[in-house]
Amino acid sequence: MGELSSNGWGVATARRIAALIFALFAGISFASAQEGGTVKSDATPGTPIHWMEWSDEVFAQARAEHKFVLMDLEAVWCHWCHVMYAVTYADPDVRREMAAKYIAVKVDQDSRPDISNRYEDYGWPATVVFDGDGKEIVKRQGYLPPKPMLSMLEAIVDDPTPGPSVVAEKPIVYASTSRMATAVLARVRRAYEAQYDGKAGGWGFSHKFLDADSVEYAMELAREGDATAAKRVRETLRMEEKIQDPVWGGAYQYSAGGDWDEPHFEKLISIQAQVMRTYALAYTQFHDAEYLHVAERVNDYVQGFLTSDDGAFYVSQDADQVEGEHGGEYFKLDDAGRRAKGIPRVDKHLYARENGWMIAALAELYAASGDRKYLDEAERATEWVKAHRALVDGGFNHDSPHDEHDAAGPYLDDTLAMGQAYLALYRATKEKRWLEDATAAMTFIAANFGARNGVGYLTSKEPTDRYSQVFAERDENIGLARFANALYRETGDAKARAVTEQTMRYLVTPAIATRPLSGGELLAVYETTHAAASGAMPHGPVVARAK
């Protein structure tokens, strides 16, 4: 588990876009009200579902009570997650069946990278049903209306054997070398060419978004004189501006419908970081003032809406001003009109991972512009993360103070993101303290996340639960390969070189390398085989997992 299937565009740098929204349900409308932060249908009587947190104890309870476990894996910012909660889980028949035969578990995917990566193929919301021994019975993508949900719940009770959505993973024969075979590389390059939308611009077709790895690889090609690649970069960046907020600034997550004219309005800090960084890189390379303007305007939005009083960065701002109601009309309003109705909710969690992504982007913006305020913002956030999320020996927790522990962490992505941030700060300032911190992060990764078979690095130190195994996730390994390689080139550290080799052995395996999108794979190969490569920046954030 852990990668997108070929029937939906995945994102290398803009990780795991399971962005096939269920258009069938786009016309649903309903009345909702917010009570204590929980959306409920106004007309629905009955006792609400009792949602529990993910834990081994949940499965013990399920066994004792002869019940199933239903996990609702959601995103705080996800429109259809709001709809699911307000409509489907408010339906009295669904509630009755859930109370009788199921234990309900709700997981915010941003809070649990291990569970999020495990089910990333399924978008948000994802619905997964287990038996009391943790065996998967059903896995469903996206929004489920009440009647299909009830039918599924009843069918599981009648026949609890795993359904067709639960397919055993095929064993992978991993590469014996860190070099991508010539034939595989040629196949990946052909795929990269085919993934470019010559009509609308950008990499990917059904949904339009900034795939930062694909753009950055094209920039490398342009630097070597490839005029077609340069044209594609410029076209993609021009079209991406169509899904940026003209009022408050900031970048929406993506556009549906195969064009750039149907934005989904959620604004993730991860999206802001990748857009800011990509435009800053483009300004440095092409010297187009518009690119610098876009990057700076994104940062203005972040400072205005997604920055805490301490200078750390929040996770996201909702697409819905009223949860579950489509925000299209709201986002047509001017600033005064929006504020009169209220500001969409901001998820004020402060994760090390998201802060690392944003810090690295700010360092790149400082390097591009020379404006000291961007470096000040980056350093202020860095000091907050070090004070509140740092572990001993260079690692980081996700969402807890340094003297506590994550539920299943630590997670690779938090330490990786902060390592990338440190390296970006070093490259922007040449202050050796940042290089030392980056090296400490690499040392922690090497000591805690390496796969036992010597192929790739694992998404978390501990399993999600007693019934599962920890796995390697492709885009985390792309980011790690780039980071480790760049750190090795800066320091000559043999450990960084060894991490690069182990990570690339995973990435060059044909079953991994040929998954879409291809930009990240090609960047990792390019940077590990070119001495002057300029990489090592973040592998990029979660773009659109909403269904």
Side-chain angles (χ1 to χ4, degrees):
M1 191 117 18
E3 301 304 332
L4 284 171
S5 58
S6 60
N7 61 353
W9 284 114
V11 186
T13 156
R15 285 195 335 199
R16 308 179 296 272
I17 182 173
L20 303 175
I21 307 298
F22 283 176
L24 174 62
F25 310 121
I28 289 178
S29 63
F30 58 92
S32 63
Q34 187 169 347
E35 301 176 10
T38 300
V39 177
K40 300 176 182 178
S41 170
D42 289 342
T44 302
T47 303
I49 294 169
H50 175 60
W51 294 101
M52 301 180 68
E53 295 184 359
W54 180 276
S55 68
D56 285 336
E57 288 71 24
V58 165
F59 292 95
Q61 181 181 341
R63 289 194 301 273
E65 297 178 5
H66 305 288
K67 290 184 176 181
F68 302 98
V69 175
L70 182 146
M71 178 179 66
D72 176 64
L73 184 56
E74 64 169 10
V76 171
W77 42 261
C78 164
H79 168 75
W80 288 109
C81 301
H82 301 159
V83 177
M84 188 92 158
Y85 192 77
V87 176
T88 302
Y89 290 125
D91 181 85
D93 294 328
V94 170
R95 285 182 171 180
R96 190 177 303 112
E97 187 69 14
M98 290 280 289
K101 297 293 184 181
Y102 290 84
I103 296 175
V105 174
K106 186 178 289 292
V107 178
D108 167 23
Q109 63 88 27
D110 286 318
S111 73
R112 289 294 298 265
D114 53 336
I115 301 176
S116 176
N117 289 354
R118 179 175 170 184
Y119 292 108
E120 64 189 4
D121 291 8
Y122 291 87
W124 320 135
T127 305
V128 187
V129 179
F130 307 83
D131 66 15
D133 292 324
K135 183 192 302 180
E136 295 170 350
I137 299 174
V138 169
K139 296 183 288 189
R140 294 293 301 272
Q141 291 180 320
Y143 172 67
L144 295 175
K147 288 185 178 179
M149 172 64 83
L150 181 61
S151 295
M152 182 188 76
L153 297 176
E154 292 173 339
I156 291 170
V157 172
D158 291 340
D159 180 6
T161 58
S165 62
V166 179
V167 179
E169 294 185 27
K170 296 180 180 179
I172 296 176
V173 178
Y174 291 103
S176 58
T177 175
S178 62
R179 289 273 180 166
M180 187 175 286
T182 301
V184 176
L185 181 57
R187 182 179 170 186
V188 176
R189 285 172 172 165
R190 288 194 299 270
Y192 176 75
E193 289 295 314
Q195 289 157 10
Y196 185 76
D197 185 346
K199 180 179 179 180
W203 280 263
F205 294 90
S206 63
H207 290 73
K208 309 306 297 183
F209 55 92
L210 180 71
D211 181 52
D213 280 0
S214 292
V215 173
E216 191 172 349
Y217 180 65
M219 290 170 64
E220 293 287 5
L221 298 178
R223 191 175 287 110
E224 294 182 348
D226 188 328
T228 298
K231 181 179 178 182
R232 289 175 174 176
V233 170
R234 289 183 171 276
E235 178 68 7
T236 300
L237 296 182
R238 183 176 68 84
M239 298 307 289
E240 161 64 24
E241 291 186 46
K242 297 182 70 175
I243 57 171
Q244 295 172 18
D245 188 343
V247 177
W248 288 338
Y252 300 133
Q253 188 166 204
Y254 63 91
S255 175
D259 58 39
W260 300 86
D261 301 317
E262 301 178 38
H264 280 237
F265 299 104
E266 59 272 357
K267 294 177 180 174
L268 283 61
I269 193 68
S270 53
I271 300 300
Q272 313 316 309
Q274 81 166 11
V275 170
M276 182 191 303
R277 179 178 173 275
T278 302
Y279 278 84
L281 287 172
Y283 172 72
T284 300
Q285 182 165 337
F286 297 107
H287 310 294
D288 186 331
E290 175 65 14
Y291 298 155
L292 183 59
H293 173 72
V294 170
E296 292 177 330
R297 183 162 166 75
V298 169
N299 187 59
D300 289 343
Y301 164 75
V302 170
Q303 292 299 314
F305 290 85
L306 296 181
T307 303
S308 73
D309 291 341
D310 295 324
F313 300 110
Y314 298 136
V315 181
S316 63
Q317 185 176 40
D318 274 13
D320 304 347
Q321 192 272 323
V322 176
E323 287 190 358
E325 293 184 6
H326 188 267
E329 293 303 315
Y330 176 86
F331 284 97
K332 290 179 182 178
L333 299 173
D334 61 12
D335 178 67
R338 292 182 186 182
R339 292 181 186 274
K341 289 181 173 292
I343 305 297
R345 179 181 59 176
V346 171
D347 179 356
K348 292 188 175 182
H349 284 94
L350 297 169
Y351 300 133
R353 177 183 64 180
E354 277 74 358
N355 274 270
W357 288 335
M358 190 65 193
I359 292 162
L362 282 166
E364 197 66 59
L365 183 54
Y366 166 67
S369 67
D371 191 330
R372 175 75 198 195
K373 73 175 183 179
Y374 302 124
L375 180 60
D376 290 343
E377 291 168 7
E379 291 184 340
R380 187 181 182 208
T382 302
E383 294 307 318
W384 186 92
V385 177
K386 292 176 74 171
H388 295 89
R389 298 291 182 264
L391 300 168
V392 296
D393 300 328
F396 289 87
N397 266 345
H398 186 60
D399 184 30
S400 59
H402 54 79
D403 58 349
E404 298 180 10
H405 298 285
D406 289 324
Y411 306 118
L412 170 59
D413 239 1
D414 290 291
T415 302
L416 171 58
M418 286 306 300
Q420 292 166 324
Y422 288 142
L423 188 55
L425 285 168
Y426 169 73
R427 287 184 157 183
T429 66
K430 297 304 178 185
E431 293 183 23
K432 288 190 175 181
R433 60 176 175 140
W434 300 126
L435 193 60
E436 292 169 357
D437 286 339
T439 301
M442 174 60 64
T443 300
F444 185 87
I445 289 171
N448 289 278
F449 298 104
R452 291 183 179 180
N453 63 359
V455 182
Y457 284 76
L458 306 178
T459 199
S460 62
K461 186 175 181 179
E462 302 295 336
T464 300
D465 53 74
R466 63 184 294 185
Y467 308 104
S468 63
Q469 296 181 347
V470 185
F471 57 89
E473 198 280 327
R474 180 201 189 205
D475 296 297
E476 288 177 348
N477 277 267
I478 287 172
L480 180 54
R482 300 182 65 198
F483 168 58
N485 174 69
L487 187 62
Y488 169 70
R489 296 196 186 281
E490 294 285 359
T491 65
D493 188 317
K495 187 171 294 182
R497 181 61 179 170
V499 170
T500 305
E501 293 287 329
Q502 180 167 333
T503 308
M504 288 304 297
R505 187 179 165 199
Y506 169 81
L507 292 173
V508 304
T509 296
I512 307 299
T514 55
R515 296 170 180 172
L517 292 171
S518 302
E521 285 278 350
L522 292 172
L523 267 178
V525 171
Y526 181 89
E527 291 173 359
T528 55
T529 55
H530 288 69
S534 60
M537 294 297 101
H539 64 281
V542 179
V543 172
R545 304 190 199 183
K547 291 284 184 179

